[in-house]
Amino acid sequence: MSYDFSMSKPEQGTGLHEAHFSLQANRAIANALKSKNPKLDWHPFAISDIEGIEIDEGADSNGIQIHLYSNEIGLTVPYWHKAERARAVFLEIWDYLRIMQQMTNFAISDPQLGKIVDLGIDFEAVLSAYLSTMDIVSDIAHSTLGGHDPNNISLILFHDSTITLDDAARILKHDSFKDERKGNALQVQWHDGPVLTFLLTNGPAPQEMADE
């Protein structure tokens, strides 16, 4: 689960020359972001007929990911951060958004607030929206995880409230994960990777978050 931004320009043709130019432009954007933060790394990717560039800090990052497509940009940040740490992360995001907007003239859309972002005036509103949802995430984590550390979690939200841990186990086993039921938790492992613990919670709060 993440806080998302999207950037785009008006609809127009996507001929070969334009797509080629866009790829070069995206490489320039990626290099400009790396100049701002040398910890960033980028690499091209292709999914079916969609090509783009993915940018992040790799392991031990703050979770910010940027995807550059031919006519669109996406930026996401997970619900990991609180208080002043969240403010610092969003100041970093603001720097990235400003660089990308200056280089593309794209509009920045915030689906959480349902509006076009003005980088000059909307920082506090965006940060407040993030922190409000982060409070809900923390409350769910504390109420659900018991003695587990709520600072090292990720949420997977389902619209279907009937899903069970047994359903999750079947899906993961099909994808070659090893799994073991531990009371009301499911522990899974991919080959020799870390053991992950899945817990399941239902109720109005997670359902409301999934509906968003």
Side-chain angles (χ1 to χ4, degrees):
M1 184 178 179
S2 61
Y3 198 101
D4 307 327
F5 298 91
S6 63
M7 303 178 64
S8 61
K9 57 186 175 183
E11 292 288 335
Q12 55 181 301
T14 54
L16 180 62
H17 176 72
E18 180 183 336
H20 178 73
F21 172 79
S22 179
L23 180 59
Q24 300 303 317
N26 283 345
R27 288 174 176 163
I29 293 170
N31 286 327
L33 294 173
K34 189 173 178 64
S35 294
K36 179 66 178 178
N37 178 6
K39 293 181 181 179
L40 290 176
D41 194 14
W42 64 268
H43 59 271
F45 68 88
I47 302 175
S48 186
D49 59 345
I50 300 175
E51 294 184 355
I53 291 176
E54 180 176 342
I55 307 168
D56 59 35
E57 288 188 8
D60 300 321
S61 74
N62 55 20
I64 296 173
Q65 285 193 325
I66 300 170
H67 291 88
L68 309 176
Y69 302 99
S70 60
N71 291 298
E72 185 178 2
I73 296 173
L75 186 153
T76 64
V77 58
Y79 285 100
W80 291 352
H81 311 293
K82 301 178 183 179
E84 290 307 309
R85 176 57 178 162
R87 179 174 292 275
V89 168
F90 271 79
L91 286 171
E92 181 178 335
I93 288 171
W94 235 241
D95 285 340
Y96 299 156
L97 292 175
R98 183 173 292 107
I99 289 170
M100 292 187 292
Q101 189 172 59
Q102 289 172 348
M103 297 184 71
T104 63
N105 203 31
F106 284 5
I108 304 168
S109 175
D110 181 331
Q112 292 79 201
L113 293 179
K115 63 172 292 184
I116 300 299
V117 173
D118 183 332
L119 294 178
I121 62 175
D122 286 332
F123 179 83
E124 294 297 338
V126 169
L127 178 60
S128 178
Y130 177 88
L131 290 173
S132 294
T133 303
M134 187 66 221
D135 287 341
I136 298 173
V137 171
S138 296
D139 288 344
I140 293 174
H142 282 289
S143 63
T144 304
L145 299 183
H148 297 274
D149 181 2
N151 293 315
N152 294 309
I153 65 164
S154 292
L155 294 183
I156 304 173
L157 299 174
F158 298 92
H159 291 285
D160 184 359
S161 60
T162 64
I163 194 166
T164 67
L165 284 178
D166 291 336
D167 295 326
R170 283 193 294 272
I171 295 169
L172 292 166
K173 188 172 293 185
H174 178 75
D175 290 333
S176 301
F177 281 83
K178 294 181 287 186
D179 67 90
E180 182 178 0
R181 190 67 177 264
K182 294 285 189 179
N184 66 341
L186 179 69
Q187 291 189 334
V188 300
Q189 184 179 29
W190 172 256
H191 296 300
D192 295 326
V195 176
L196 307 177
T197 300
F198 284 69
L199 296 100
L200 184 66
T201 185
N202 299 78
Q207 186 62 49
E208 181 180 337
M209 293 169 67
D211 289 341
E212 293 178 357

